[in-house]
Amino acid sequence: MTIDNYKFAGKKAIVRVDFNVPLDENGKITDDTRIRGALPTLKKILADGGALIIMSHMGKPKGKVNPKFSLSQIVDAVSEKLGVAVKFAPDCAKAADAAAALKPGEVLLLENLRFYPEEEGKPVGIDKEDPAYEDAKKAMKASQKEFAKTLASYADCYVNDAFGTAHRKHASTAVIADYFDADNKMLGYLMEKEVNAVDNVLSNIKRPFTAIMGGSKVSTKIGIIENLMDKVDNLILCGGMTYTFAKAQGGKIGNSICEDDKLQLALDIIEKAKAKGVNLVLGTDCVAADAFANDAHTQVVPANDIPEGWEGLDAGPATQKAFAEAIKGAKTILWNGPAGVFEFDNFTAGSRAIAEAIAEATKNGAFSLIGGGDSVACINKFGMADQVSYISTGGGALLEAIEGKILPGIAAIKG
């Protein structure tokens, strides 16, 4: 079933959204991107004459009630965006009466799902090493089913529009789907867009395909690098992992970040790229600093010959050119992870060169997908979000999808 074919008139829809938005110390929303992302789905259901039950998590309350993570803080913001006075259920598992009383066009927001340990389905207050842990886990899985069944009982149909948690097999993202038949569960618009964007870089590829992987560690990205090796024409590896590669090849890296236990892995990646005919682009020069600070002294040096006491914090000018060359002619582009410590204004040039090359390629018809926390923050910092094809809302979910893993939130609906 798709959201466009479903007849919502007179029905109650329970929708899992990702309203895990950042709040300041006064409980005011500092970035409402995630709320805006869910609006098309929510408004469609209301416009069709349905009633809405919205559920989400916020933060990591670890199965306990914590007012700091209460969704009551965002009721006014959601009401304003939807143009409807949203009702609030202060306990997500005791909202049957509030749900039953909903009329078409009305909206009920449930309190934070993660105030119940059943949402994540992990036993609380018991150590994994404890001999009783296995039994506790079984008991929790059973009560997770009951919890999901309770949520399901509020509504006639289920819509999952939370890509940010699609890689988690939680009560509200996967288990709940078991209580609806195939004709009454579907993905929301945001989720559909995410799934299609991932498809564009994994199966529906227009060539040449350039992937840019940044970030400080090779180890966290290895699964993705290996999966992409079979798909890409150009692979740019940048950011902190540059120095692990430089050291692996016998370079001097000064005080730069490095995974000393991953040097062999770096050499293996270089070999693999050669064997598969992938053009692997690594930094040749860098902007080195004498301290990890925005106002540190800097010099441009070879990435494999950094003086003692200095550390590489951004890609150098020659590297920026090489990156841009590998991006400009591409027809499919995936960017995950910055090229330098972009939080410091003086070390944004490498990431900016990547962003500008992606924008130029996109203007020339490339499909560009930006995803995974830092790259998104990066493109927003440069004010260039409207110059790329798609910005993913899911950090971990996007990365697991690109690694080729099946996401439980999608499998629960698509089978």
Side-chain angles (χ1 to χ4, degrees):
M1 179 53 65
T2 68
I3 186 166
D4 277 324
N5 308 341
Y6 194 82
K7 303 277 182 283
F8 288 102
K11 297 268 177 71
K12 292 184 178 116
I14 189 161
V15 186
R16 174 55 154 107
V17 294
D18 183 1
F19 280 178
N20 182 25
V21 290
L23 304 173
D24 64 16
E25 56 284 353
N26 306 315
K28 289 275 168 281
I29 300 169
T30 55
D31 180 355
D32 66 358
T33 308
R34 287 179 164 165
I35 294 178
R36 283 187 313 190
L39 291 177
T41 293
L42 302 176
K43 285 183 165 167
K44 155 84 175 157
I45 294 167
L46 292 176
D48 284 3
L52 264 182
I53 300 152
I54 306 174
M55 56 178 175
S56 178
H57 75 283
M58 180 182 275
K60 295 186 173 168
K62 304 227 161 42
K64 295 186 177 66
V65 174
N66 180 341
K68 201 172 93 184
F69 298 122
S70 173
L71 289 176
S72 60
Q73 303 171 94
I74 68 167
V75 172
D76 292 347
V78 178
S79 298
E80 186 200 331
K81 294 260 184 310
L82 277 177
V84 177
V86 173
K87 303 174 195 312
F88 184 68
D91 183 331
C92 65
K94 298 190 173 69
D97 293 345
L102 278 186
K103 296 183 182 67
E106 293 186 335
V107 184
L108 176 69
L109 174 66
L110 305 182
E111 178 58 285
N112 194 338
L113 296 159
R114 288 190 189 171
F115 283 178
Y116 280 88
E118 283 81 358
E119 163 63 4
E120 296 181 85
K122 288 193 202 102
V124 174
I126 181 163
D127 225 59
K128 274 194 175 150
E129 276 59 66
D130 192 308
Y133 183 80
E134 276 313 307
D135 287 341
K137 194 167 141 184
K138 274 200 193 92
M140 177 53 81
K141 288 289 176 222
S143 54
Q144 183 182 41
K145 283 187 174 141
E146 284 308 308
F147 177 71
K149 195 175 175 179
T150 299
L151 296 173
S153 71
Y154 301 157
D156 304 299
C157 62
Y158 167 65
V159 182
N160 188 352
D161 210 21
F163 186 72
T165 48
H167 58 317
R168 303 272 180 247
K169 194 173 177 176
H170 291 169
S172 69
T173 61
V175 184
I176 186 173
D178 294 344
Y179 299 99
F180 293 93
D181 60 31
D183 292 337
N184 291 295
K185 56 185 168 187
M186 65 218 85
L187 300 177
Y189 288 128
L190 184 64
M191 196 78 146
E192 279 184 349
K193 272 164 62 179
E194 294 277 357
V195 172
N196 291 339
V198 169
D199 256 4
N200 280 341
V201 295
L202 286 188
S203 43
N204 200 358
I205 303 166
K206 295 194 178 65
R207 302 199 170 276
F209 178 9
T210 298
I212 305 122
M213 288 285 143
S216 49
K217 296 180 168 170
V218 193
S219 53
T220 53
K221 300 278 166 83
I222 185 60
I224 298 170
I225 292 170
E226 293 193 326
N227 194 31
L228 288 174
M229 260 318 173
D230 290 321
K231 304 182 191 302
V232 298
D233 302 292
N234 304 297
L235 179 60
I236 294 173
L237 297 180
C238 57
M241 61 173 109
T242 304
Y243 311 104
T244 300
F245 280 90
K247 185 168 179 177
Q249 297 175 86
K252 295 190 186 69
I253 59 165
N255 289 358
S256 304
I257 186 169
C258 179
E259 288 183 284
D260 285 323
D261 58 339
K262 295 289 180 281
L263 301 179
Q264 187 52 49
L265 179 65
L267 293 174
D268 292 346
I269 289 170
I270 294 171
E271 279 313 302
K272 217 171 237 170
K274 269 199 196 110
K276 292 184 186 285
V278 170
N279 173 33
L280 181 64
V281 188
L282 293 163
T284 52
D285 64 345
C286 69
V287 179
D290 60 358
F292 189 78
N294 189 42
D295 55 3
H297 299 108
T298 61
Q299 55 174 324
V300 173
V301 295
N304 59 2
D305 197 9
I306 301 170
E308 272 313 308
W310 293 71
E311 56 185 310
L313 295 188
D314 195 12
T319 297
Q320 291 168 31
K321 278 203 185 74
F323 288 174
E325 280 311 301
I327 295 167
K328 278 180 183 161
K331 286 295 171 235
T332 300
I333 301 165
L334 167 70
W335 183 21
N336 168 250
V341 187
F342 77 99
E343 296 86 349
F344 296 154
D345 289 345
N346 292 334
F347 300 98
T348 54
S351 302
R352 193 181 286 278
I354 290 173
E356 284 171 354
I358 292 175
E360 186 182 319
T362 307
K363 208 161 72 192
N364 293 328
F367 175 83
S368 51
L369 170 57
I370 318 290
D374 282 350
S375 322
V376 177
C378 211
I379 204 106
N380 286 335
K381 178 171 184 160
F382 302 150
M384 294 172 70
D386 55 347
Q387 296 174 53
V388 298
S389 311
Y390 193 69
I391 295 181
S392 174
T393 56
L398 177 79
L399 299 185
E400 289 197 16
I402 294 165
E403 228 174 288
K405 292 184 179 163
I406 302 288
L407 302 184
I410 294 167
I413 283 174
K414 290 193 154 182

